[in-house]
Amino acid sequence: MNNMNEDALALLTKAGLEKCLLRMTEVSPGAWQLGDTPFVTAIIFNPEDIKHISHCFAEEQYYGPVSEEQPDVTVIEIGNILLNALANSLLRAFGKSAIPSVPAHFQGDYGAIEKWLGAGPEVFTIISAKFTMKREDRVSAAEILAFLPPTLAEGTLPLK
Amino acid sequence: MKVLIVDDNASTREMLGISLERGGHEILGEAEDGQSALKAFAELRPEVVFLDIIMPGISGVVVLEEMLKIDPAAKIVMLTAVDQDNITMELKSKGAAAIIFKPFSQEDLRKVFDRIK
């Protein structure tokens, strides 16, 4: 994929994410903002922030127990919304349509990402976007990453 | 109205349930996948179903079709983060009464009920 295509893809992806984060701010108690360096695929966040991230999305009485051992269902739903915003933008850019699979939550390091991808991240074109969630006095940061496979340049976009 | 909620995410089911009850609606039941959704739909006969698309096993698109085979007059509201023109058109052509895109607000729910009642 050449630089011009990457730039166009980045703009389209950013627009989709900005729209989604604005909507998140409107309908949830937290403020969701895109960072300076746009772009996406999996969402990476500090496990210590899991409760705060959930707190930014829903009133406390709405969500279930949160622990580092048990993936939090609210965070998975946040992932579902944000990752779909990314997938919708990318699919639209490539003139395709697909229903993504159910999102999963896992905890780990670089090796866990490599295992999930089935190859090292260096094989992929990566689009990333940092964003923040603020509620009351606390701010959490996270990053959305899109790992674009080499086949993307040929017009195909397999979704995980 | 009497409502069935179908979503694989327990948090979403709970939030949606609370929002609907605040709006004066009755939650007849909940289901976390397509198979149990069809069973609950046949047994409970809700007036409205809020149906997720991305679920383990049978997708919400198939569940929509199956529910309308059971009751062609059923009001099925799709609840999804999938905002793609082709899929939106497919859902409408298959008989979805309305589509709510996640994240949603109490106002979004109210507008849907105004439209489908």
Side-chain angles (χ1 to χ4, degrees), chain B residues 66-83:
Chain B
E66 294 301 315
M67 284 181 174
L68 290 173
K69 281 180 192 168
I70 297 169
D71 179 4
K75 290 183 169 64
I76 317 287
V77 178
M78 306 306 293
L79 192 62
T80 182
V82 178
D83 185 2

Side-chain angles (χ1 to χ4, degrees), chain B residues 20-41:
Chain B
L20 292 172
E21 283 177 340
R22 281 180 181 169
H25 304 286
E26 180 186 352
I27 311 303
L28 290 185
E30 296 181 4
E32 63 181 7
D33 58 49
Q35 202 69 47
S36 54
L38 289 171
K39 185 170 181 288
F41 180 77

